[in-house]
Each structure stands twice: as structure tokens, then as C-alpha cells.
């Protein structure tokens, strides 16, 4: 399980082509932890938006949900002014 605001989420899934079952397409999308907080997403809404972000336009049903591989992760945000960036760049 993952906590909104603590974990980011990356989803991946593969769906068969409706035109040719021998062909499939891979999809993936990621949200950083702060994205879900800023947009006040629930777990369900976040997964739905990730599916759309991945470019999948088919039906969102149980088959799709069962095919999703979700990975949670943690990240951190650092700030650096442009002057600090330039100074660090010059110092190697």
C-alpha cells in the first residue's frame, strides 16, 4: 500500500491490441508524491489519472486494474538558487 503525500507511484501495464491479439502495447506513467497532494487525489483517482497519463484510451475495467503493476517510491525536493547553481558549477 502507499500513502498519498509520502509515496510517489509508477504504474506499468501491457494491453493487447483490439485489432490484433498478437500485438500488444506497453504503458507507463509516474506521479511524484507532491502531485497527488496538490491535486487532492484519492488512490483511485490517482490510478485513473496515471492510466490516462500513460496514454491508454481503452476501457478502464477490472481486467485493466488487474494488469497494472504499481511501484511506490519516496523522493525529496531540494531548492537551489541560480547563483548557487552557477557557483557550484564553477567549483566542479
Amino acid at each position: 500500500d502507499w500513502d498519498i503525500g509520502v509515496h510517489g507511484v509508477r504504474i506499468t501495464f501491457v494491453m493487447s491490441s483490439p485489432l490484433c491479439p498478437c500485438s500488444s502495447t506497453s504503458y507507463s506513467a509516474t506521479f511524484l508524491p507532491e502531485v497527488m497532494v496538490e491535486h487532492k487525489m484519492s488512490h483511485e483517482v490517482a490510478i485513473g489519472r496515471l492510466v490516462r497519463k500513460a496514454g491508454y484510451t481503452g476501457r478502464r475495467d477490472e481486467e485493466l486494474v488487474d494488469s497494472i503493476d504499481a511501484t511506490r517510491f519516496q523522493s525529496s525536493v531540494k531548492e537551489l538558487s541560480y547563483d548557487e547553481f552557477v557557483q557550484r558549477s564553477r567549483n566542479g
Side-chain angles (χ1 to χ4, degrees):
D1 204 18
W2 44 286
D3 296 318
I4 292 176
V6 175
H7 299 108
V9 178
R10 173 178 167 78
I11 65 163
T12 58
F13 58 99
V14 177
M15 296 301 289
S16 296
S17 169
L19 302 175
C20 177
C22 59
S23 176
S24 61
T25 303
S26 297
Y27 297 90
S28 66
T30 302
F31 278 153
L32 297 173
E34 56 272 16
V35 170
M36 294 174 281
V37 172
E38 290 170 5
H39 295 277
K40 299 178 179 151
M41 293 183 206
S42 66
H43 290 86
E44 294 80 13
V45 168
I47 294 296
R49 289 189 182 171
L50 281 166
V51 167
R52 187 174 30 208
K53 181 180 178 184
Y56 181 73
T57 57
R59 291 189 54 186
R60 285 187 247 166
D61 54 18
E62 192 171 326
E63 178 185 357
L64 172 64
V65 172
D66 290 344
S67 72
I68 293 174
D69 180 30
T71 303
R72 70 178 183 177
F73 62 89
Q74 289 183 279
S75 65
S76 60
V77 176
K78 305 282 183 183
E79 288 190 28
L80 184 68
S81 72
Y82 179 73
D83 291 336
E84 290 172 310
F85 169 76
V86 170
Q87 182 179 6
R88 289 184 184 198
S89 297
R90 290 183 182 153
N91 293 336

